[in-house]
């Protein structure tokens, strides 16, 4: 049975556990379910046998996330259109005072990196998240996964190479990204095709996630002309009670569109080294916007 002290300890670890689970699963709701399951196991455990409570909780959470990820993979194969992670509001300022550590956490939760992590095996993803996002030693990760340390190092190397090959080579600082996001908003709102094309990189893409439950491209748009024309056309479509806010979402400034006070879509941008837009991510699946409802 849980006591006040065990409950307090678990709540202290909740941000870490939720962070691990979200990066493993890409959905806040699934991450919350996993953390709740971890709580149930923690509250029922014989803590006299638990020598390292924090490591124990990370191990339970990671293994539960791996199990859930394997189950979700089969469902995602039948997903309608491109799959994107569930956007979450992020503000590490109060909990992560170190700027370098904050940058690592922000990158590890970005749309681009989470999309790449979808292509890893569940074990590779677990190793990458624990090592690259949270800095766990290889020995601790080996204990979490019940694997030999050399095997974990191999998984880590393979996952790191895969992510480095596919993630954006450059990440703009937040101030620059906010300026470009605001310019993008102004051009898109005005249906300014020329202005949009000026901001798009030569190989710009647009990835929209509707899950078949809202209007969004069912295929990736893979040229600046297609991307610009789609965005200009969208600007001319009326949205009831439209409000647009620049928010920090998944570690970077993004556009949150509200319709009648409820989240309608999120626009997130990947930016190149020369300050142009490499990819526009649009999340419109209503099932994935719940974490942004206030």
């Amino acid at each position: 049975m849980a006591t006040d002290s065990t409950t307090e300890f678990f709540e202290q670890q909740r941000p870490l556990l939720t962070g691990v689970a979200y990066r493993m699963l890409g959905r806040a709701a699934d991450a919350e379910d996993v953390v709740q399951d971890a709580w149930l196991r923690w509250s029922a455990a014989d803590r006299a046998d638990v020598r390292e409570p924090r490591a124990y909780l990370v191990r339970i959470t990671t293994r539960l996330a791996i199990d859930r990820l394997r189950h979700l993979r089969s469902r995602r194969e039948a997903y309608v259109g491109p799959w994107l992670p569930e956007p979450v509001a992020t503000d590490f300022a109060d909990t992560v005072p170190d700027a370098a550590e904050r940058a690592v956490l922000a990158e590890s939760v970005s749309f681009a990196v989470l999309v790449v992590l979808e292509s890893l095996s569940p074990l590779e993803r677990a190793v990458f998240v624990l090592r690259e996002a949270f800095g766990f030693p290889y020995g601790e990760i080996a204990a979490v996964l019940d694997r030999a340390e050399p095997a974990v190092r191999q998984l880590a190397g393979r996952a790191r190479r895969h992510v480095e090959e596919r993630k954006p080579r450059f990440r703009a600082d937040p101030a620059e990204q906010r300026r470009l996001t605001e310019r993008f908003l102004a051009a898109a709102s005005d249906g300014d095709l020329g202005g949009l094309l000026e901001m798009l990189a030569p190989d710009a893409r647009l990835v929209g996630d509707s899950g078949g439950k809202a209007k969004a491209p069912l295929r990736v748009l893979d040229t600046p002309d297609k991307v610009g024309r789609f965005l200009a056309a969208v600007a001319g479509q009326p949205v009831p009670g439209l409000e647009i806010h620049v928010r920090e979402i998944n570690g970077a400034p993004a556009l949150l569109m509200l319709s009648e006070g409820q989240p309608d879509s999120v626009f997130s941008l990947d930016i190149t080294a020369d300050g142009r837009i490499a990819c526009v991510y649009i999340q419109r699946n209503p099932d994935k916007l719940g974490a942004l409802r206030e």
Side-chain angles (χ1 to χ4, degrees), residues 16-33:
L16 168 64
L17 304 179
T18 302
V20 169
Y22 175 73
R23 287 164 178 79
M24 283 288 297
L25 299 167
R27 285 204 62 183
D30 289 324
E32 290 169 3
D33 288 346

Side-chain angles (χ1 to χ4, degrees), residues 136-178:
F136 279 81
Y138 288 113
E140 287 189 29
I141 299 173
V144 165
L145 300 178
D146 195 22
R147 296 288 193 278
E149 186 172 330
V152 166
R153 289 180 178 273
Q154 286 185 342
L155 285 167
R158 191 159 63 237
R160 190 181 305 112
R161 287 191 298 273
H162 185 89
V163 172
E164 290 296 330
E165 287 170 0
R166 291 163 176 81
K167 78 175 184 178
R169 300 292 181 185
F170 177 80
R171 187 164 177 83
D173 67 66
E176 180 180 350
Q177 185 143 5
R178 187 180 183 93

